[in-house]
Amino acid sequence: MHSLNAVYDEVQQATIVFYNDNSAGEGKANVITLDSSGNATVSSAQTFHNDNTGDTSAVYAGSSKTVISFAGDVSGTTLLRSKVISLSGTTLTFGTLVTVSGGYPNNPCIGYDTDQEKAVIVWRDAGNSYYITEELGTISGTDITYT
């Protein structure tokens, strides 16, 4: 399953669209902005993961930062990966890629708690009878750490 996600950045007044490009399997992102007449401008594609990218989920975390989580293949093993992405104009800056879990992640979903300033990621763990598993992420700059 290859998912499509969109996140609106209220500071930059732009939408970031995340997807699998289907030709190389890479995770891509485009920035869409609207002018005062409502005409859309779409940026060129930018790669957020240069290997097979499956299910994705993204959330706006304030201050022009978005957190994306995705099932990504690394040497034939599917891992749950995540990174912080910052937006300035139509330019995306990608933070450090982190591995959240290596246990056959399915259906990752991420949210952001503005009061606690934490990302909350949940997924169905196929390696553990498909139980729901969760981790909390703390953002620092363009990095995220899960506990």
Side-chain angles (χ1 to χ4, degrees), residues 5-9 14-18 57-61 65-67:
N5 282 269
V7 174
Y8 181 71
D9 183 323
T15 300
I16 308 170
V17 179
F18 300 97
S57 180
V59 66
Y60 181 67
K65 294 180 184 172
T66 295
V67 179

Side-chain angles (χ1 to χ4, degrees), residues 24-145:
E26 297 177 333
K28 300 282 188 177
N30 290 81
V31 178
I32 302 171
T33 55
L34 298 177
D35 65 20
S36 59
S37 299
N39 298 311
T41 300
V42 180
S43 73
S44 58
Q46 299 172 62
T47 302
F48 67 84
H49 185 61
N50 60 4
D51 208 337
N52 288 333
T53 305
D55 295 343
T56 62
S57 180
V59 66
Y60 181 67
S63 302
S64 294
K65 294 180 184 172
T66 295
V67 179
I68 187 164
S69 64
F70 55 92
D73 284 352
V74 177
S75 301
T77 301
T78 302
L79 305 172
L80 183 58
R81 315 296 296 274
S82 183
K83 64 172 53 177
V84 175
I85 300 170
S86 294
L87 176 62
S88 179
T90 59
T91 302
L92 297 171
T93 302
F94 302 103
T96 305
L97 179 66
V98 298
T99 298
V100 181
S101 172
Y104 304 102
N106 283 295
N107 312 111
C109 186
I110 193 163
Y112 187 73
D113 184 324
T114 56
D115 290 336
Q116 298 295 316
E117 297 183 341
K118 301 275 186 191
V120 180
I121 185 170
V122 296
W123 68 96
R124 292 171 19 128
D125 188 347
N128 188 22
S129 302
Y130 292 93
Y131 284 111
I132 301 296
T133 305
E134 79 287 329
E135 293 280 344
L136 292 178
T138 303
I139 299 169
S140 177
T142 57
D143 293 325
I144 189 163
T145 305

